[in-house]
C-alpha cells in the first residue's frame, strides 16, 4: 500500500474529527472513548481510540431508506450489487433520486485500495445528478422535482476559517467526502453515488441550471470543479498561455474551461491519437509529451500548467515549460509519489509547484452557472451500471472519451 493519503477520506480519519455538518438524523451522545468509525477496533472492542480522544458515538435514526448500489468488497473484487440503508431525511436534508453518476479516476483509486483508508464495502461515485424526491422540514433552497447535483463533499464543520471562506474542501476538521468518509449519522462510512438514492444536507446540494444535459453535466461535479477552482485561483484569462497535461476526464474539462476563460491552451498528451479531439475541445496547440523536440520548443513559454495525470511521472519535463514566475498546479493524485523535482528548475525561474483539491460549494455553483452560460458540458459515454468494471479497465488504458457516466435507471431495471 502506498503512503499517499486519500484526499476525500484520510484526512478526516487521521484528525478524527467530528463531522458536524448538519442536524442529526439520530440521537447524538457524548462518549469519551470510542471512535465513531465503525471499522475502528476501538468501536468493536470498546477501548479508547488512539486517534480520537474526544470521540462521539452516534446512534442511527430508526427510520431508514432501503436502497441499492454497486460496491467493491475488497481491493481485488469487481464492483457488484450491494443493498444498504440511507438515513431518513433530517430537517435540513434533501433526498435525491439519482439519475446519473460520473466515473472519476478517484473512484478507481479508492475501490482498488490504491490510496490508503478504503473501508469495504465501498460505494464510489461523487459526480451525481438527480431529482429531489423529498425535503426535510427546514429545507429552503430545494423542493421535490428539482434537478440537482452532488459533488465530492457532503459535510464540513461550517465553523472554521476555510468553511467561512467557502472553501469547505479545506475544512480544518476535515471535510466529509461523499463516499468512504466517517458518517456521523450512521456511525459507519458514507456511501456514494453509484446508487439509487442519496440523502444530503442541503448546504452540499447544487442547483443544476436550465439548459445543461443532466448526463453530460454529471462530471462537472468533480472533473469540472477540480479544474475550475485552480484556473480561477490563479486568475487564468485572456493573454495567458495555459498548459493542460493529460486528456482524460479532468483534462478535457480543463481545456474547455481554460478556453472559455479566454486563455491560449496547449495540451500535453501521451496519446497522439487524441490530437484532433483536443483541438475540437478548444486546445490551440497539441504536444505529444514523449516528443523531446516538441517539448523543448515550448520551454519557458507557459504562465500556468494544470497537471491532471493519474500516474507518477517526471515533473521536471513540465516545469521547464513555465515562464519565470509561472506555476504548475497538480490535481492528479497518483497512488505512488512522483520522482522529486529538480530544485534548480524552480530556483532559476522563481517557478512554483502547487496543488489543489476539488473546489468549494459556492465556486461549484459559480462553475455550473458559467457552464450553462457558455454551453459547456462533459463529453460522455453513458453506460449501464453492470459495465462499471469494464469502464474501470478502459479508464486505465486511457480508452475513454472523455468520461463514463452511469445511467442509474439501469440499477432500477
Ligand atoms: P483519467 O480520465 O483516467 O485521465 C487521466 C489522464 O492522464 C489519461 O487520460 C492520460 O491522458 C494521462 N495518463 C494516465 N496515465 C498516464 C501515464 N502513465 N503517463 C502519462 N499520462 C498518463 O483520470 P481523471 O478522472 O481525469 O483523474 C485524473 C487524476 O486526478 C486522478 O489521479 C484522480 O484521482 C485525480 N483527481 C484529483 C482531484 C483533486 O481534487 N485534486 C479531483 C478529481 C480527481 P493522455 O492519454 O492524454 O496522456
Ligand atoms: Zn472525482
Amino acid at each position: 500500500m502506498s503512503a499517499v493519503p486519500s484526499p476525500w477520506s484520510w484526512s478526516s480519519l487521521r484528525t478524527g474529527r467530528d463531522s458536524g455538518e448538519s442536524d442529526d438524523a439520530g440521537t447524538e451522545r457524548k462518549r469519551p472513548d470510542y471512535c465513531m468509525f465503525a471499522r475502528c477496533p476501538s468501536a468493536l472492542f470498546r477501548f479508547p481510540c488512539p486517534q480520537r480522544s474526544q470521540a462521539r458515538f452516534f446512534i442511527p435514526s430508526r427510520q431508514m431508506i432501503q436502497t441499492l448500489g454497486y460496491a467493491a468488497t475488497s481491493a481485488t473484487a469487481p464492483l457488484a450489487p450491494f443493498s444498504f440503508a440511507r438515513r431518513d431525511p433530517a430537517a435540513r436534508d434533501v433526498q435525491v433520486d439519482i439519475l446519473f453518476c460520473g466515473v472519476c479516476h478517484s473512484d478507481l483509486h479508492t475501490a482498488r485500495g490504491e490510496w490508503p483508508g478504503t473501508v469495504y464495502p465501498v460505494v464510489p461515485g461523487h459526480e451525481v445528478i438527480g431529482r429531489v424526491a423529498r425535503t426535510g422540514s427546514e429545507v429552503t433552497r430545494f423542493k421535490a422535482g428539482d434537478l440537482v447535483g452532488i459533488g465530492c463533499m457532503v459535510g464540513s464543520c461550517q465553523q472554521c476559517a476555510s468553511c467561512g471562506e467557502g472553501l469547505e474542501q479545506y475544512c480544518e476538521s476535515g471535510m466529509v467526502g461523499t463516499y468512504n468518509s466517517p458518517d456521523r449519522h450512521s456511525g459507519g462510512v458514507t456511501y456514494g453515488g453509484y446508487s439509487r438514492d442519496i440523502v444530503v444536507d442541503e448546504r452540499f446540494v447544487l442547483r443544476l441550471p436550465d439548459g445543461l444535459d443532466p448526463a453530460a453535466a454529471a462530471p462537472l461535479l468533480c472533473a469540472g470543479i477540480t479544474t475550475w477552482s485552480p484556473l480561477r485561483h490563479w486568475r487564468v484569462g485572456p493573454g495567458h498561455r495555459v498548459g493542460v497535461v493529460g486528456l482524460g476526464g479532468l483534462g478535457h474539462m480543463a481545456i474547455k474551461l481554460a478556453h472559455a476563460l479566454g486563455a491560449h491552451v496547449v495540451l500535453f498528451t501521451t496519446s497522439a491519437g487524441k490530437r484532433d479531439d483536443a483541438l475540437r475541445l478548444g486546445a490551440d496547440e497539441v504536444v505529444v509529451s514523449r516528443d523531446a523536440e516538441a517539448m523543448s520548443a515550448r520551454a519557458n513559454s507557459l504562465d500556468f500548467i494544470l497537471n491532471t495525470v493519474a500516474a507518477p511521472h517526471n515533473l521536471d519535463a513540465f516545469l521547464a515549460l513555465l515562464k519565470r514566475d509561472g506555476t504548475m498546479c497538480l490535481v492528479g493524485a497518483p497512488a505512488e509519489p512522483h520522482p522529486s523535482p529538480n530544485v534548480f528548475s524552480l530556483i532559476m525561474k522563481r517557478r512554483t509547484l502547487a496543488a489543489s483539491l476539488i473546489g468549494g460549494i459556492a465556486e461549484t455553483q459559480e462553475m455550473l452557472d458559467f457552464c450553462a452560460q457558455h454551453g459547456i458540458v462533459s463529453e460522455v459515454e453513458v453506460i449501464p451500471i453492470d459495465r462499471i468494471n469494464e469502464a474501470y479497465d478502459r479508464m486505465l488504458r486511457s480508452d475513454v472519451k472523455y468520461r463514463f457516466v452511469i445511467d442509474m435507471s439501469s440499477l432500477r431495471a
Side-chain angles (χ1 to χ4, degrees):
M1 187 170 287
S2 96
V4 181
S6 152
W8 347 112
S9 56
W10 189 246
S11 61
S12 35
L13 299 185
R14 187 168 40 75
T15 56
R17 57 93 176 80
D18 171 11
S19 57
E21 72 273 22
S22 75
D23 311 297
D24 291 325
T27 316
E28 175 185 302
R29 275 199 275 145
K30 205 60 166 157
R31 291 273 178 98
D33 293 337
Y34 322 134
C35 182
M36 69 182 225
F37 191 44
R39 296 297 175 95
C40 174
S42 73
L44 288 174
F45 301 110
R46 306 285 163 111
F47 62 82
C49 174
Q51 303 202 49
R52 284 187 60 87
S53 56
Q54 291 299 313
R56 286 159 180 244
F57 183 67
F58 294 93
I59 299 175
S61 157
R62 270 166 289 157
Q63 282 273 60
M64 301 293 275
I65 302 160
Q66 283 305 313
T67 191
L68 184 63
Y70 256 54
T73 50
S74 77
T76 51
L79 277 80
F82 170 65
S83 293
F84 62 103
R86 300 279 192 194
R87 68 178 183 270
D88 205 45
R92 293 197 69 172
D93 282 341
V94 175
Q95 181 183 336
V96 174
D97 288 341
I98 300 180
L99 301 173
F100 297 100
C101 185
V103 179
C104 179
H105 207 115
S106 305
D107 302 349
L108 187 157
H109 289 310
T110 306
R112 298 195 173 173
E114 294 176 358
W115 291 336
T118 302
V119 179
Y120 297 99
V122 60
V123 178
H126 56 206
E127 293 183 340
V128 173
I129 294 287
R131 204 173 278 288
V132 174
R134 230 164 22 124
T135 56
S137 57
E138 290 172 20
V139 169
T140 54
R141 295 174 45 235
F142 302 99
K143 60 180 187 325
D146 287 351
L147 271 177
V148 295
I150 294 137
C152 303
M153 296 181 284
V154 292
S156 71
C157 81
Q158 303 280 307
Q159 284 162 3
C160 70
S162 295
C163 288
E165 289 174 49
L167 297 169
E168 300 90 345
Q169 74 275 31
Y170 302 115
C171 173
E172 279 139 47
S173 306
M175 58 100 165
V176 185
T178 303
Y179 59 81
N180 199 46
S181 263
D183 182 345
R184 71 175 301 200
H185 300 277
S186 69
V189 288
T190 53
Y191 291 128
Y194 296 4
S195 67
R196 227 166 36 194
D197 14 50
I198 193 164
V199 176
V200 179
D201 182 322
E202 69 165 327
R203 287 169 288 195
F204 290 84
V205 179
L206 287 308
R207 182 180 40 77
L208 190 70
D210 291 340
L212 290 181
D213 175 69
L220 300 180
L221 276 309
C222 174
I225 184 57
T226 300
T227 50
W228 174 259
S229 181
L231 290 172
R232 296 287 285 161
H233 181 74
W234 276 277
R235 300 179 196 282
V236 164
H240 284 93
R241 293 178 58 85
V242 171
V244 172
V245 189
L247 183 49
L250 267 56
H252 91 290
M253 289 313 308
I255 292 178
K256 287 188 176 209
L257 294 171
H259 174 77
L261 287 167
H264 178 96
V265 182
V266 186
L267 173 74
F268 297 88
T269 178
T270 56
S271 313
K274 294 182 180 174
R275 179 182 298 273
D276 291 347
D277 280 349
L279 296 172
R280 179 175 56 78
L281 294 168
D284 298 282
E285 300 172 54
V286 178
V287 176
V288 175
S289 50
R290 292 190 173 123
D291 178 343
E293 212 172 299
M295 290 291 280
S296 59
R298 265 86 179 177
N300 307 314
S301 70
L302 301 172
D303 298 286
F304 182 72
I305 298 175
L306 198 55
N307 186 329
T308 74
V309 173
H313 60 280
N314 173 18
L315 300 179
D316 289 328
F318 298 104
L319 288 169
L321 307 178
L322 292 171
K323 291 177 186 170
R324 192 203 71 225
D325 289 326
T327 296
M328 176 157 77
C329 175
L330 305 178
V331 284
E336 301 298 333
H338 297 292
S340 183
N342 181 342
V343 69
F344 285 100
S345 170
L346 300 169
I347 287 175
M348 300 308 285
K349 297 269 177 195
R350 200 163 56 183
R351 293 168 171 139
T352 302
L353 179 61
S356 180
L357 173 63
I358 51 172
I361 293 298
E363 64 181 344
T364 306
Q365 192 64 62
E366 174 195 71
M367 176 272 312
L368 289 170
D369 295 342
F370 179 90
C371 287
Q373 276 163 20
H374 291 79
I376 294 174
V377 281
S378 188
E379 311 274 305
V380 299
E381 181 175 339
V382 179
I383 56 165
I385 198 159
D386 60 8
R387 285 183 49 210
I388 185 63
N389 296 299
E390 177 195 330
Y392 277 14
D393 292 340
R394 282 183 53 196
M395 188 155 60
L396 283 176
R397 297 197 298 269
S398 293
D399 174 23
V400 46
K401 292 185 173 178
Y402 278 91
R403 196 60 138 186
F404 290 113
V405 170
I406 304 164
D407 178 350
M408 218 49 76
S409 66
S410 59
L411 192 57
R412 293 186 174 86

